[in-house]
Amino acid sequence: MRFELPGIILFTERFDACVAFYRDLLALPEAFAKPGLVTLDLGGAYLMIESGGVGRQWPKPIDENPIILRFNVEDVDVAAGVLRRKGVDVEVLRLDWGVVGCFSDPDGNRCELKDHSAGFQVLSRQLPKHRETA
């Protein structure tokens, strides 16, 4: 079996706030939208935001949401600074396996920034080269 386009569906209580967070603050390009559903481009995957979830005022514990949306970046400190200037509370942690910037969306879904160069090169996809036809 070959999967063509992986994606994540995120059900939210604060739909408009979550769309603005991911689309406007994190600058994920909008690919498709209709009432109650917005799909954003994750660069080789998609994040579909839908209404109908349960939000929290604080980061959700693992037993409520066992997923972290991770965004690999070139420099965690720089990216954390950008988000902080936009009003996002980011905690940078320096761990023995790397640096992460922890934050949450308006519904309390946990997110992280992570240094892209730290061991994920094997997962990076390269687009096939297009062949010129005469």
Side-chain angles (χ1 to χ4, degrees), residues 84-103:
R84 286 180 183 133
R85 285 189 292 280
K86 293 180 177 186
V88 179
D89 183 22
V90 181
E91 179 184 12
V92 175
L93 303 175
R94 299 181 190 295
L95 306 164
D96 60 350
W97 49 265
V99 179
V100 292
C102 304
F103 58 102

Side-chain angles (χ1 to χ4, degrees), residues 40-82:
L40 305 173
D41 182 357
L42 277 175
Y46 64 85
L47 174 63
M48 183 179 291
I49 302 171
E50 293 191 45
S51 56
V54 176
R56 297 282 182 255
Q57 295 294 332
W58 54 86
K60 293 177 185 173
I62 291 173
D63 62 344
E64 285 187 24
N65 185 5
I67 294 172
I68 293 175
L69 296 175
R70 180 172 280 172
F71 301 93
N72 289 357
V73 295
E74 186 174 328
D75 186 308
V76 171
D77 291 309
V78 170
V82 169

Side-chain angles (χ1 to χ4, degrees), residues 8-31 38-43 46-50 54-56 59-60 65 67-71 83 86 88 102-113:
I8 299 165
I9 300 173
L10 182 64
F11 291 97
T12 63
E13 182 175 334
R14 296 171 189 89
F15 175 78
D16 291 333
C18 285
V19 169
F21 181 83
Y22 290 103
R23 184 190 59 207
D24 304 334
L25 281 175
L26 297 186
L28 299 178
E30 186 175 298
V38 172
T39 302
L40 305 173
D41 182 357
L42 277 175
Y46 64 85
L47 174 63
M48 183 179 291
I49 302 171
E50 293 191 45
V54 176
R56 297 282 182 255
K60 293 177 185 173
N65 185 5
I67 294 172
I68 293 175
L69 296 175
R70 180 172 280 172
F71 301 93
L83 291 180
K86 293 180 177 186
V88 179
C102 304
F103 58 102
S104 59
D105 73 10
D107 258 9
N109 297 302
R110 295 173 304 133
C111 301
E112 284 182 354
L113 303 169

